[in-house]
């Protein structure tokens, strides 16, 4: 089904997991026999042994031999938005992936956009990019009282959203807005069209990792200003020892577990304990759930194993 086709079903199709699975199921393909590992391209819920962790730590320790030079650190940290603008300019034709898994892993998104739910609801997507989450939610929404706001650090990304043929402040499936906003802005400013403590659901997918660790406290404070009491943060980001982290070579390490990519954008790799500390111990939120999504990707031709590691969480205001 294309993104601009009308949604006719009132309930998920019979073969859909939406609204059925418990949160954080993370797929259904289990590796029960190690001899079968190269029979599929990917396996879910693959536990890491001491050997995999040790290998990852050894590769990361070598990165400390050639970190980013101090001058370059200042350049990359001074104006991160510039590199995200360049990223979206260079990749403007390369997205659109519909993140269908969101409504499976975060059932509250399915609930508030269902036709059986007509309560006034505000969703704020932080780091909306080109609209990979924003438009699928808007286009399938059946809640006539939904308001969805997309914001991004990059003006180019926001312009891509606003230029999309499906963008309209008076969209037939809900009210839509988009604006430039820095999640960690030190002034505590809120996004345009967002009142204090008015948001029911915040979506942050691969967003927090782009912040410098020194920005975490301010970002959490700003999040607490937008969310209603009882509102929730839907979070997904990179986990420690992910393939992307161990693959970094010379001149990419900015700080502990914090890197600069080849395109100038930054990325941090978290642990569950760090997220708990940032949002719930040092921050004002309650932990609803934190989970680790471990996946084993396989190059069947070369018989290579590649471990991916993502963190997912729901935090309550």
């Amino acid at each position: 089904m294309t993104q601009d086709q009308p949604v006719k079903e009132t309930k998920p199709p019979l073969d859909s997991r939406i609204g059925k699975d418990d949160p954080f199921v993370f797929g259904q393909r289990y590796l029960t026999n190690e001899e079968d590992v190269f029979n599929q391209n990917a396996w879910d819920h693959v536990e890491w042994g001491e050997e995999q962790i040790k290998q990852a730590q050894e590769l990361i320790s070598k990165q400390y031999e050639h970190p980013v030079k101090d001058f370059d650190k200042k350049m990359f940290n001074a104006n991160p938005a510039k590199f995200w603008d360049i990223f979206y300019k260079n990749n403007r034709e390369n997205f659109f992936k519909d993140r269908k898994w969101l409504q499976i892993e975060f059932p509250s998104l399915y609930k508030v956009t269902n036709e059986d739910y007509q309560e006034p609801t505000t969703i704020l997507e932080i780091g909306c990019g080109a609209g990979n989450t924003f438009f699928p939610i808007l286009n399938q929404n059946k809640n006539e009282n939904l308001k969805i706001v997309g914001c991004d650090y990059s003006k180019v990304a926001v312009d891509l959203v606003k230029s999309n043929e499906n963008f309209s402040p008076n969209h037939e499936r809900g009210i839509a807005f988009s604006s430039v906003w820095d999640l960690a802005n030190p002034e505590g400013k809120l996004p345009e069209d967002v009142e204090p403590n008015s948001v029911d659901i915040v979506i942050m997918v691969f967003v927090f990792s782009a912040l410098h660790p020194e920005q975490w406290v301010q970002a959490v404070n700003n999040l607490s200003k937008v969310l209603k009491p009882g509102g929730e943060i839907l979070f997904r980001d990179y986990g420690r020892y992910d393939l992307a982290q161990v693959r970094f070579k010379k001149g990419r390490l900015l700080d502990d577990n914090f890197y600069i990519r080849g395109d100038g954008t930054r990325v941090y790799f978290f642990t569950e304990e760090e997220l708990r500390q940032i949002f719930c111990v040092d921050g004002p939120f309650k932990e609803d759930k934190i989970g680790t999504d471990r996946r084993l990707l396989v190059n069947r031709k070369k018989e290579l194993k590649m471990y991916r590691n993502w963190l997912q969480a729901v935090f309550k205001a």
Side-chain angles (χ1 to χ4, degrees):
M1 181 173 60
T2 60
Q3 137 190 11
D4 54 357
Q5 287 178 321
V7 179
K8 296 179 181 179
E9 292 167 316
T10 57
K11 295 182 180 180
L14 292 177
D15 61 348
S16 171
R17 292 170 50 210
I18 295 177
K20 295 180 181 180
D21 284 345
D22 292 332
F24 299 8
V25 172
F26 296 139
Q28 305 289 319
R29 185 173 289 174
Y30 296 90
L31 177 62
T32 55
N33 186 341
E34 184 63 29
E35 293 180 359
D36 296 331
V37 65
F38 295 113
N39 292 340
Q40 301 286 351
N41 293 324
W43 301 95
D44 300 307
H45 314 288
V46 176
E47 289 298 323
W48 291 17
E50 289 298 321
E51 180 183 353
Q52 285 81 26
I53 294 174
K54 184 178 179 181
Q55 287 176 350
Q57 290 174 336
E58 288 175 353
L59 290 169
I60 291 170
S61 67
K62 294 179 181 178
Q63 297 166 353
Y64 283 80
E65 298 172 5
H66 302 279
V68 176
K69 297 177 181 178
D70 288 341
F71 176 83
D72 292 331
K73 280 186 183 181
K74 293 178 181 178
M75 176 187 68
F76 289 125
N77 290 325
N79 187 14
K82 178 182 75 171
F83 296 101
W84 283 109
D85 282 342
I86 294 170
F87 171 82
Y88 284 108
K89 284 178 182 176
N90 291 340
N91 293 280
R92 61 195 313 142
E93 305 299 330
N94 294 338
F95 344 62
F96 194 96
K97 286 187 178 179
D98 186 335
R99 289 170 170 163
K100 296 178 181 178
W101 57 266
L102 276 168
Q103 288 190 79
I104 296 172
E105 302 296 352
F106 298 121
S108 56
L109 278 177
Y110 171 68
K111 174 186 174 183
V112 302
T113 57
N114 197 322
E115 64 180 354
D116 296 332
Y117 191 91
Q118 294 297 319
E119 298 295 323
T121 303
T122 298
I123 296 175
L124 171 63
E125 186 193 3
I126 301 172
C128 64
N132 301 41
T133 298
F134 183 92
F135 288 115
I137 290 175
L138 183 63
N139 291 338
Q140 62 79 47
N141 172 57
K142 297 187 181 77
N143 179 354
E144 295 179 359
N145 297 299
L146 180 78
K147 173 183 177 181
I148 183 166
V149 180
C151 59
D152 200 283
Y153 198 34
S154 165
K155 182 179 183 301
V156 175
V158 171
D159 288 343
L160 284 173
V161 170
K162 288 184 173 180
S163 64
N164 189 295
E165 60 183 8
N166 289 299
F167 180 81
S168 170
N170 296 310
H171 193 283
E172 62 180 3
R173 294 186 180 272
I175 300 174
F177 296 98
S178 187
S179 64
V180 178
W181 186 58
D182 177 4
L183 167 61
N185 77 86
E187 298 83 14
K189 294 179 181 177
L190 303 186
E192 291 179 26
D193 304 304
V194 173
E195 298 295 324
N197 305 116
S198 66
V199 174
D200 296 276
I201 297 175
V202 166
I203 303 172
M204 289 198 302
V205 177
F206 299 109
V207 170
F208 216 75
S209 55
L211 299 178
H212 193 287
E214 293 178 357
Q215 297 178 293
W216 292 345
V217 171
Q218 184 64 56
V220 168
N221 287 341
N222 291 343
L223 286 169
S224 68
K225 291 180 180 180
V226 302
L227 273 170
K228 288 179 180 177
E232 59 185 21
I233 299 170
L234 310 182
F235 180 101
R236 186 172 172 90
D237 223 316
Y238 295 100
R240 189 71 45 84
Y241 307 142
D242 177 61
L243 176 68
Q245 179 179 16
V246 300
R247 274 187 169 178
F248 279 111
K249 302 300 183 183
K250 296 179 181 179
R252 296 297 177 196
L253 184 71
L254 284 169
D255 210 331
D256 290 345
N257 305 300
F258 192 44
Y259 298 83
I260 197 75
R261 298 186 182 96
D263 59 11
T265 60
R266 306 178 303 185
V267 58
Y268 188 91
F269 296 84
F270 296 95
T271 65
E272 289 188 16
E273 292 73 22
E274 279 180 323
L275 293 185
R276 193 169 288 116
Q277 185 75 34
I278 294 165
F279 286 90
C280 306
V281 178
D282 297 336
F285 300 104
K286 291 194 301 183
E287 175 186 339
D288 184 75
K289 188 175 181 69
I290 298 177
T292 300
D293 182 5
R294 290 190 178 91
R295 204 163 300 173
L296 173 59
L297 305 184
V298 174
N299 184 320
R300 298 163 72 181
K301 185 176 181 180
K302 296 182 179 180
E303 294 196 348
L304 294 176
K305 299 178 183 178
M306 298 165 285
Y307 292 89
R308 299 310 310 264
N309 196 21
W310 300 284
L311 296 184
Q312 199 157 293
V314 176
F315 301 108
K316 297 273 190 178

